[in-house]
């Protein structure tokens, strides 16, 4: 089929017409990235449920006149400020990287084609198209040369659709093969995909196992807070026998530690910091949960070209086949390379080497597609020429096919130049093929590819090399990188269609060649059917369907706009070696949030249990007529108890190195460790308080001593929980635990801090009993954690790391 062009408007809009449309507001005014505004970020971090609860309790404490006991109110400021700062940083990083990564359409104006930003497209612009180009606005086709559009991302229709002149095209689709141009008929928010894109690209922290797990935990905590809170309120205001001011402060002291105020904050910070860190490595995370998702991946499907090998190629040799003249072959190759409007890497290498164009006029064209594996031009009296895969165009038993396979087995890329007996756009093309020359191209293996594959192997992540190239050539590259199975690459044309049978092959084989786009997609689905979490890397339009269906799609920044549009992660530096850093960042986020969750939830459990025990004791005093009991702590006590056992350590641990492999079962793992630890702390603290409690008529000194006794017990066991959560140890973790312990020693021994925080450890007998209760609690917590770890195969987390290692 020859290229057909609609004459009217073939030169595109004039500069004056473009300017007039801009003045009329007929521009593609969709935001570059629909991220939350700074105002929305501030509102979301300030007006939270946790801040509302703490705010009400803060006002109640202030009403008693005890400003010092309202120190926990600083948590509102800290929660909001830190969350706002980190999310704004992450927003700016994402927005800047998204601008670099965005598809830039080629617009023809005044007869000259040049790239513009999507927002600079105006109504009636003439936009040129080639393979891999994303359609950025709705329009009508004005020029078509075998133009095929894939609309699967919008309609679910998997087969490419032929687009002749006059056909409509929709934004969000992309070009599979052929070339052409279309006129923009709907721009901005009127375009079909604008609303979908606006929703899909929002800065979000939801839809991840980690976030949903935390939501489940918070829901469980809410169910506990209601009865515990009501019981505490009743006990302090009606049963304790105290005046209203100490009753209210005791009630607030009971309620404040029940709220896991920093858990959501730390999760948000960990994700946001991850985005900023990866941004510095030129890695655009288009969906934040992808950081977490890639950390859970156990299979990486990597395309060969552009991933394991460099994008650029070099023409190495031309092996002329008998019957053809070297000059004729070179003229044909030069003509085809020069006439290709959107050359791929192979054609570009030919064009750079053969610059002497013969000036032939083509009468028909057949663009390259992944399905047929060849392209062609008809040049009238100069013949009908094909350029494509030797194993597709040649008889497998021919001498030329064997020669091509031998060359491919050494890692070279081999194409066949051949003549056909019919026009290349004939329905039955290519017809009878007469081989003219083997075109030998060199591909450079990325210098960092071996180290990257070694890293994944050390992390028990399987690599599957899936390529459209000749299986022998793919196997040669895989073998040179010492990838297991590379020496017996599988030709995908012989793969079974049945998903179960395909999954069986994929479980044992690692290297595949001649894989069609639909097969890449089927391979991803087959791996997922066996419970694998699959990441797909790619840069070509033939990778789009597989990228879309994989758990995590990773596109190269230099790849086609279509691949960048569907991928969750874009490697803007085009380095496959960046992936280990993304995996490491995800593991750091997940592992650290799990550690931090243990600390916060342990505090919630012991706070709820302590409130229940004190409340039930108060209710029992009315039923059985014994002396009522009040809450042991002031709000300032629960504040300092959290400072060095949770607050500061949790912040440090959330940002620390962590290479533990991500595992499912986050909620059950956290709960089975936090609940027994919290129970031990709650019971031990209550027992210590009962030992020291001198009744409601006790002096202020006796009340301070009783509260101090309970606080010492609580802090001792809580610091030990911190020590367990921090395992395995490295030097900075030892320093962190020692600093926390030292800080509490200062608080309890320095006269000023003792007086300021109403601490009195001067009663040797009571302080000794506190240490005994604390020691018993430490033994119980340690025993519980070791038993749990042994039962669930997690003892490795409790064993110290090797010197200089990190967790």
């Amino acid at each position: 089929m020859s290229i057909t062009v609609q004459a009217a408007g073939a030169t595109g809009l004039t500069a004056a017409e473009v300017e007039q449309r801009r003045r009329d507001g007929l521009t593609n005014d969709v935001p570059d990235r629909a991220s939350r505004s700074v105002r929305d970020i501030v509102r979301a971090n300030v007006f939270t449920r946790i801040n509302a609860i703490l705010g009400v309790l803060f006002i109640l404490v202030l009403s008693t006149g005890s400003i010092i006991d309202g120190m926990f109110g600083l948590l509102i400021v800290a929660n909001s400020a830190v969350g706002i700062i980190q999310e704004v940083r992450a927003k700016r990083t994402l927005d800047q990287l998204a601008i670099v990564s965005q598809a830039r359409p080629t617009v023809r104006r005044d007869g000259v084609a040049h790239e513009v930003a999507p927002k600079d497209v105006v109504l009636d612009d003439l936009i040129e198209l080639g393979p891999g180009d994303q359609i950025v606005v709705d329009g009508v086709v004005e020029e078509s040369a075998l133009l095929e559009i894939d609309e699967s991302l919008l309609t679910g229709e998997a087969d490419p659709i032929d687009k002749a002149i006059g056909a409509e095209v929709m934004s969000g689709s992309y070009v599979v093969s052929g070339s052409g141009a279309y006129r923009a008929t709907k721009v901005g928010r009127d375009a079909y995909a604008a609303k979908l894109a606006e929703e899909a690209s929002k800065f979000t922290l939801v839809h991840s196992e980690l976030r949903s797990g935390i939501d489940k935990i918070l829901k469980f905590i809410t169910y506990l807070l209601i009865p515990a809170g009501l019981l505490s309120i009743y006990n302090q205001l009606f049963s304790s026998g105290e005046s209203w001011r100490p009753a209210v402060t005791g009630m607030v002291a009971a309620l404040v530690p029940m709220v896991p105020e920093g858990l959501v904050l730390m999760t948000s910070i960990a994700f946001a910091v991850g985005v900023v860190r990866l941004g510095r490595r030129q890695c655009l995370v288009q969906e934040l949960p992808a950081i977490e998702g890639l950390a859970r991946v156990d299979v990486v499907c990597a395309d060969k070209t552009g991933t394991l090998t460099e994008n650029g190629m070099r023409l190495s040799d031309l092996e002329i086949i008998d019957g053809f003249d070297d000059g004729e072959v070179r003229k044909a190759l030069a003509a085809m390379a020069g006439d290709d409007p959107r050359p791929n890497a192979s054609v570009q290498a030919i064009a750079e080497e053969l610059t002497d164009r013969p000036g032939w006029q083509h009468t028909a064209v057949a663009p390259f597609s992944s399905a047929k594996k060849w392209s062609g031009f008809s040049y009238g009296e100069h013949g009908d020429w094909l350029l494509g895969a030797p194993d597709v165009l040649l008889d497998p038993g021919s001498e030329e096919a064997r020669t091509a396979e031998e060359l491919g087995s050494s890692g070279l890329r081999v194409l066949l130049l051949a003549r056909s007996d019919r026009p290349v756009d004939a329905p039955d093309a290519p017809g009878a093929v007469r081989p003219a020359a083997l075109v030998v191209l060199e591909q450079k293996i990325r210098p960092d590819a071996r180290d990257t594959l070694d890293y994944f192997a050390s992390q028990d992540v399987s690599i599957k090399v899936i390529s459209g190239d000749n299986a022998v050539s793919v196997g040669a590259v895989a073998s040179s990188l010492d990838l297991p199975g590379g020496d017996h690459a599988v030709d995908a044309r012989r793969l079974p269609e049945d998903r179960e049978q395909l999954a069986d092959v994929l479980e044992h084989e690692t290297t595949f060649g001649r894989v069609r786009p639909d097969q890449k997609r089927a391979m991803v689905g087959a791996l997922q059917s066996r419970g694998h979490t699959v990441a797909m890397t790619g840069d070509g339009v033939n990778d789009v369907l597989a990228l879309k269906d994989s758990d995590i799609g990773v596109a190269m920044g230099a790849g086609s706009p279509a691949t960048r549009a569907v991928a969750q992660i874009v490697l803007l530096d085009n380095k496959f070696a960046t992936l280990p850093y993304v995996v490491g960042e995800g593991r750091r986020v997940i592992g650290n949030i799990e550690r931090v969750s243990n600390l916060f939830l342990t505090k919630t459990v012991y706070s709820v249990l302590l409130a229940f025990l004190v409340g039930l004791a108060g209710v029992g005093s009315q039923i059985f007529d014994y002396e009522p009991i009040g809450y042991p702590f002031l709000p300032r006590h629960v504040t300092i108890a959290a400072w060095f056992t949770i607050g500061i350590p949790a912040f440090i641990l959330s940002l620390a190195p962590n290479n533990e492999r991500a595992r499912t079962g986050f909620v059950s793992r956290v709960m089975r460790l936090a609940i027994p630890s919290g129970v031990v702390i709650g019971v031990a603290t209550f027992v210590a308080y009962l030992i020291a409690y001198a009744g409601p008529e006790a002096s202020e000194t006796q009340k301070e001593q009783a509260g101090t006794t309970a606080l010492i017990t609580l802090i001792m066991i809580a610091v030990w929980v911190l020590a367990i959560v921090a395992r395995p140890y490295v030097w900075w973790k030892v320093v962190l635990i020692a600093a926390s312990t030292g800080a509490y020693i200062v608080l309890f021994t320095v006269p000023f801090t003792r007086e300021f925080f109403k601490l009195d450890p001067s009663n040797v007998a009571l302080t000794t009993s506190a240490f005994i209760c604390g020691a018993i609690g430490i033994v119980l917590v340690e025993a519980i954690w070791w038993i749990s770890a042994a039962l669930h195969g997690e003892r490795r987390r409790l064993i110290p790391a090797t010197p200089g290692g990190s967790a």
Side-chain angles (χ1 to χ4, degrees):
M1 182 184 295
S2 60
I3 296 181
T4 51
V5 178
Q6 181 168 308
T11 59
L13 298 176
T14 64
E17 289 171 333
V18 171
E19 189 57 38
Q20 182 60 49
R21 281 163 174 74
R22 285 177 179 158
R23 286 196 295 268
D24 295 341
L26 302 176
T27 59
N28 194 38
D29 60 349
V30 177
D32 291 326
R33 185 178 182 87
S35 59
R36 289 200 293 183
S37 66
V38 174
R39 177 185 297 179
D40 290 337
I41 290 173
V42 171
R43 185 186 300 118
N45 281 277
V46 172
F47 299 106
T48 66
R49 182 181 290 108
I50 287 175
N51 280 359
I53 294 170
L54 294 177
V56 171
L57 296 176
F58 178 68
I59 292 170
L60 286 175
V61 169
L62 292 183
S63 69
T64 68
S66 179
I67 297 176
I68 295 174
D69 282 318
M71 284 190 301
F72 68 86
L74 295 174
L75 288 170
I76 300 173
V77 178
N79 281 356
S80 301
V82 176
I84 290 168
I85 291 168
Q86 292 293 357
E87 195 166 336
V88 167
R89 285 182 68 202
K91 165 192 161 56
R92 288 175 178 167
T93 300
L94 283 172
D95 289 350
Q96 289 167 2
L97 292 177
I99 292 171
V100 175
S101 174
Q102 69 183 358
R104 293 179 63 83
T106 301
V107 176
R108 193 186 304 165
R109 292 171 180 168
D110 290 319
V112 179
H114 55 274
E115 290 186 348
V116 299
K119 65 181 180 181
D120 292 333
V121 174
V122 300
L123 190 69
D124 295 323
D125 253 332
L126 192 64
I127 304 168
E128 297 184 353
L129 293 174
D133 283 352
Q134 189 179 4
I135 294 173
V136 294
V137 295
D138 295 358
V140 175
V141 176
E142 299 285 334
E143 304 173 4
S144 176
L146 298 181
L147 186 64
E148 289 188 336
I149 305 291
D150 190 312
E151 297 179 347
S152 62
L153 303 181
L154 300 175
T155 65
E157 173 60 50
D159 296 328
I161 300 171
D162 293 327
K163 295 290 183 178
I165 291 175
E168 292 187 355
V169 291
M170 294 185 291
S171 52
S173 55
Y174 63 93
V175 180
V176 176
S177 63
S179 60
Y182 72 102
R183 179 172 53 84
T185 57
K186 290 181 180 179
V187 295
R189 300 178 195 278
D190 293 332
Y192 182 82
K195 290 183 180 179
L196 295 177
E198 193 169 349
E199 285 299 313
S201 61
K202 282 184 178 176
F203 182 97
T204 176
L205 291 175
V206 297
H207 305 308
S208 74
E209 182 179 341
L210 192 62
R211 295 288 299 182
S212 62
I214 289 175
D215 288 342
K216 287 180 184 177
I217 291 170
L218 292 178
K219 187 179 294 184
F220 173 75
I221 289 170
T222 302
Y223 294 144
L224 291 177
L225 283 177
I226 294 173
L230 292 175
L231 190 58
S232 295
I233 292 169
Y234 175 80
N235 181 60
Q236 290 300 121
L237 298 181
F238 303 106
S239 300
S240 65
E242 297 177 324
S243 60
W244 77 272
R245 281 189 173 86
V248 168
T249 55
M251 177 192 72
V252 171
L255 296 177
V256 166
M258 295 183 195
V259 182
E261 71 283 343
L263 183 55
V264 175
L265 172 70
M266 292 301 172
T267 305
S268 301
I269 289 174
F271 270 124
V273 170
V275 168
V276 174
R277 283 180 171 177
L278 291 175
R280 290 176 184 150
R281 292 190 174 274
Q282 291 296 295
C283 175
L284 169 61
V285 182
Q286 306 210 80
E287 298 174 23
L288 290 187
I291 299 177
E292 171 193 346
L294 195 53
R296 300 187 190 280
V297 162
D298 59 353
V299 177
V300 174
C301 295
D303 186 27
K304 176 178 74 72
T305 307
T307 302
L308 299 180
T309 61
E310 307 240 344
N311 279 318
M313 293 189 192
R314 186 181 71 84
L315 181 60
S316 173
D317 190 20
L318 272 179
E319 294 209 0
I320 310 300
I321 296 172
D322 292 342
F324 281 88
D325 177 66
D326 181 78
E328 182 186 17
V329 165
R330 290 179 179 273
K331 284 181 181 179
L333 280 172
M336 296 175 76
D339 288 341
D340 195 326
R342 296 292 178 110
N344 57 27
S346 301
V347 175
Q348 197 165 348
I350 296 170
E352 289 172 358
E353 183 70 23
L354 305 177
T355 56
D356 190 11
R357 309 281 187 265
W360 298 350
Q361 294 296 315
H362 61 261
T363 57
V365 60
F368 178 84
S369 75
S370 299
K372 65 178 188 287
K373 303 289 185 189
W374 59 267
S375 62
F377 284 87
S378 291
Y379 289 107
E381 62 182 12
H382 299 293
D384 305 293
W385 294 89
L386 308 172
L387 184 65
D391 53 338
V392 173
L393 294 173
L394 289 174
D395 178 359
S398 66
E399 182 64 31
E400 293 83 1
R402 285 192 291 272
T403 302
E405 187 167 331
E406 287 174 7
L407 290 168
S409 65
S410 62
L412 297 169
R413 185 167 196 182
V414 184
L415 298 176
L416 175 73
L417 176 69
R419 287 193 68 162
S420 174
D421 64 345
R422 66 204 64 193
V424 296
D425 61 346
D428 57 346
V433 174
R434 184 181 168 206
L438 293 175
V439 183
V440 184
L441 301 161
E442 281 185 335
Q443 269 186 312
K444 283 184 64 179
I445 294 175
R446 289 184 180 273
D448 48 28
R450 183 188 296 272
D451 290 340
T452 306
L453 295 182
D454 289 344
Y455 167 82
F456 283 122
S458 70
Q459 300 297 312
D460 297 325
V461 177
S462 299
I463 296 288
K464 308 292 181 185
V465 178
I466 299 175
S467 175
D469 285 351
N470 178 280
V472 177
S473 178
V474 178
V477 171
S479 295
S480 69
L481 294 170
D482 294 331
L483 183 71
D487 56 342
H488 53 274
V490 178
D491 191 320
R493 291 172 295 186
R494 295 194 289 270
L495 285 175
E497 295 290 333
D498 179 73
R499 172 175 281 195
E500 283 301 309
Q501 293 177 358
L502 180 60
D504 288 336
V505 176
L506 288 165
E507 289 287 352
H508 302 101
E509 301 295 341
T510 63
T511 310
F512 302 85
R514 289 291 172 238
V515 186
R516 301 189 309 271
D518 59 304
Q519 283 182 309
K520 290 187 178 184
R521 188 182 202 180
M523 292 166 104
V524 168
L527 288 166
Q528 290 170 329
S529 71
R530 293 292 174 89
H532 293 294
T533 303
V534 182
M536 177 74 198
T537 71
D539 63 349
V541 67
N542 58 322
D543 299 318
V544 170
L545 296 177
L547 284 169
K548 179 171 175 280
D549 283 4
S550 64
D551 296 287
I552 301 294
V554 182
M556 298 295 167
S560 72
T563 59
R564 299 200 304 269
V566 301
Q568 287 87 16
I569 293 174
V570 180
L571 306 179
L572 298 176
D573 58 3
N574 303 305
K575 292 181 179 178
F576 183 50
T578 303
L579 269 188
Y581 294 103
V582 184
V583 173
E585 196 60 38
R587 292 183 175 184
R588 186 191 63 78
V589 169
I590 296 173
N592 290 342
I593 292 305
E594 185 167 323
R595 292 178 187 275
V596 167
S597 298
N598 276 314
L599 294 177
F600 280 105
L601 297 178
T602 297
K603 184 195 75 165
T604 296
V605 170
Y606 73 63
S607 301
V608 170
L609 180 60
L610 193 58
F612 266 119
L613 293 174
V614 172
L616 291 174
V619 172
S621 68
Q622 293 187 330
I623 298 174
F624 300 105
D625 195 27
Y626 57 79
E627 291 183 338
I629 183 171
Y631 195 74
F633 303 131
L634 297 172
R636 69 190 75 176
H637 292 157
V638 296
T639 300
I640 63 173
W643 275 357
F644 304 113
T645 61
I646 300 166
I648 296 172
F651 181 77
I652 294 172
L653 288 174
S654 71
L655 304 179
N658 194 326
N659 284 324
E660 289 180 17
R661 178 154 177 191
R663 298 164 292 161
T664 56
F666 163 75
V667 174
S668 61
R669 212 162 38 246
V670 169
M671 298 298 266
R672 72 170 176 254
L673 298 175
I675 289 177
S677 301
V679 169
V680 169
I681 294 176
V683 172
T685 301
F686 184 65
V687 169
Y689 182 55
L690 289 180
I691 292 171
Y693 185 61
E697 304 302 325
S699 65
E700 284 300 315
T701 298
Q702 290 175 313
K703 288 181 179 179
E704 280 189 21
Q705 289 175 346
T708 302
T709 301
L711 189 60
I712 290 172
T713 299
L714 185 151
I715 289 173
M716 282 180 63
I717 310 174
V719 168
W720 195 262
V721 170
L722 168 63
I724 294 176
V725 168
R727 293 172 181 165
Y729 297 133
V730 288
W731 69 267
W732 63 266
K733 290 182 181 179
V734 175
V735 171
L736 175 65
I737 297 165
S740 297
T741 305
Y744 283 120
I745 292 173
V746 170
L747 289 178
F748 280 87
T749 56
V750 174
F752 170 76
T753 54
R754 282 209 313 265
E755 184 177 345
F756 186 82
F757 291 110
K758 291 188 177 295
L759 302 172
D760 186 359
S762 60
N763 189 314
V764 177
L766 294 182
T767 301
T768 301
S769 66
F771 278 111
I772 293 172
C773 291
I776 294 171
I778 286 172
V779 171
L780 291 174
V781 166
E782 183 69 22
I784 289 169
W785 280 57
W786 272 96
I787 292 170
S788 176
L791 289 175
H792 297 92
E794 295 174 353
R795 289 188 59 166
R796 60 186 180 81
R797 289 191 62 229
L798 305 180
I799 300 172
T802 56
S806 63

